[in-house]
Coordinates of all heavy atoms in Angstrom, one line a residue:
Chain B
F118 N 27.9 -6.1 -30.6 CA 29.3 -6.5 -30.4 C 30.0 -6.8 -31.8 O 31.2 -6.8 -31.8 CB 29.4 -7.7 -29.5 CG 29.2 -7.3 -28.0 CD1 27.9 -7.1 -27.5 CD2 30.3 -7.0 -27.2 CE1 27.7 -6.6 -26.2 CE2 30.2 -6.6 -25.9 CZ 28.8 -6.4 -25.4
A119 N 29.2 -6.9 -32.9 CA 29.8 -7.2 -34.2 C 30.2 -6.0 -34.9 O 30.6 -6.0 -36.1 CB 28.9 -8.1 -35.0
Y120 N 29.9 -4.7 -34.3 CA 30.3 -3.5 -35.0 C 31.7 -3.5 -35.3 O 32.5 -3.9 -34.5 CB 29.9 -2.4 -34.0 CG 30.3 -1.0 -34.4 CD1 30.0 -0.5 -35.6 CD2 31.0 -0.2 -33.5 CE1 30.3 0.8 -36.0 CE2 31.3 1.1 -33.8 CZ 31.0 1.6 -35.1 OH 31.3 2.9 -35.5
W121 N 32.1 -3.0 -36.5 CA 33.4 -3.3 -37.0 C 34.5 -2.8 -36.1 O 35.5 -3.3 -35.9 CB 33.6 -2.7 -38.5 CG 33.5 -1.3 -38.5 CD1 32.4 -0.5 -38.7 CD2 34.6 -0.3 -38.5 NE1 32.7 0.9 -38.8 CE2 34.0 1.0 -38.6 CE3 35.9 -0.4 -38.4 CZ2 34.8 2.2 -38.6 CZ3 36.8 0.7 -38.3 CH2 36.1 2.0 -38.5
K122 N 34.2 -1.7 -35.4 CA 35.3 -1.1 -34.5 C 35.5 -2.0 -33.3 O 36.6 -2.2 -32.8 CB 34.8 0.3 -34.0 CG 35.1 1.4 -35.1 CD 34.9 2.8 -34.4 CE 35.0 3.9 -35.3 NZ 34.6 5.2 -34.7
N123 N 34.4 -2.7 -32.9 CA 34.5 -3.6 -31.8 C 35.3 -4.8 -32.2 O 36.2 -5.3 -31.5 CB 33.1 -4.0 -31.3 CG 32.3 -2.9 -30.7 OD1 32.9 -1.8 -30.4 ND2 31.0 -3.0 -30.7
L124 N 35.0 -5.3 -33.4 CA 35.7 -6.5 -34.0 C 37.2 -6.1 -34.2 O 38.1 -6.9 -33.8 CB 35.1 -6.9 -35.3 CG 33.7 -7.3 -35.3 CD1 33.2 -7.7 -36.8 CD2 33.5 -8.5 -34.4
R125 N 37.5 -4.9 -34.7 CA 38.9 -4.5 -34.9 C 39.6 -4.5 -33.5 O 40.7 -4.9 -33.4 CB 38.9 -3.2 -35.6 CG 40.4 -2.8 -36.1 CD 40.5 -1.5 -36.7 NE 40.2 -0.4 -35.8 CZ 40.2 0.8 -36.1 NH1 40.3 1.2 -37.3 NH2 40.0 1.8 -35.1
S126 N 38.9 -3.9 -32.5 CA 39.5 -3.9 -31.2 C 39.9 -5.2 -30.7 O 41.0 -5.5 -30.2 CB 38.6 -3.2 -30.3 OG 39.1 -3.0 -29.0
V127 N 39.0 -6.2 -30.9 CA 39.3 -7.6 -30.4 C 40.5 -8.2 -31.3 O 41.3 -8.8 -30.7 CB 38.1 -8.5 -30.5 CG1 38.4 -9.9 -30.2 CG2 37.0 -8.0 -29.5
L128 N 40.4 -7.9 -32.6 CA 41.6 -8.4 -33.4 C 42.8 -7.8 -33.0 O 43.9 -8.4 -33.1 CB 41.2 -8.1 -34.9 CG 40.2 -8.9 -35.6 CD1 39.9 -8.5 -37.0 CD2 40.7 -10.4 -35.6
D129 N 42.8 -6.5 -32.5 CA 44.0 -5.8 -32.0 C 44.4 -6.4 -30.6 O 45.4 -5.9 -30.0 CB 43.8 -4.3 -31.9 CG 43.8 -3.7 -33.3 OD1 44.3 -4.4 -34.2 OD2 43.4 -2.5 -33.4
G130 N 43.5 -7.2 -30.0 CA 43.9 -7.8 -28.8 C 43.3 -7.2 -27.5 O 43.6 -7.6 -26.4
R131 N 42.3 -6.2 -27.8 CA 41.7 -5.6 -26.6 C 40.2 -5.6 -26.7 O 39.7 -5.6 -27.8 CB 42.2 -4.1 -26.5 CG 43.6 -3.8 -26.4 CD 44.3 -4.5 -25.1 NE 43.7 -3.8 -23.9 CZ 44.1 -2.7 -23.3 NH1 45.2 -2.1 -23.8 NH2 43.5 -2.2 -22.3
M132 N 39.6 -5.8 -25.5 CA 38.1 -5.8 -25.5 C 37.6 -4.4 -25.9 O 38.3 -3.3 -25.5 CB 37.6 -6.1 -24.1 CG 37.7 -7.6 -23.8 SD 36.8 -8.7 -25.0 CE 35.1 -8.4 -24.4
P133 N 36.6 -4.2 -26.7 CA 36.1 -2.9 -27.2 C 35.6 -2.0 -26.1 O 35.0 -2.4 -25.2 CB 35.0 -3.3 -28.2 CG 34.5 -4.7 -27.8 CD 35.7 -5.4 -27.1
V134 N 36.0 -0.7 -26.3 CA 35.4 0.4 -25.5 C 35.0 1.4 -26.5 O 35.8 1.9 -27.3 CB 36.4 0.9 -24.5 CG1 35.9 2.1 -23.7 CG2 37.0 -0.1 -23.5
L138 N 29.6 1.1 -25.9 CA 30.2 0.1 -24.9 C 31.2 0.8 -24.1 O 32.4 0.7 -24.2 CB 30.8 -1.0 -25.7 CG 30.0 -2.1 -26.3 CD1 30.8 -3.0 -27.2 CD2 29.2 -2.9 -25.3

Side-chain angles (χ1 to χ4, degrees):
Chain B
F118 284 79
Y120 176 49
W121 66 272
K122 283 191 186 171
N123 297 340
L124 298 179
R125 192 181 67 183
S126 183
V127 173
L128 285 174
D129 285 345
R131 300 295 302 269
M132 287 301 283
V134 176
L138 284 172

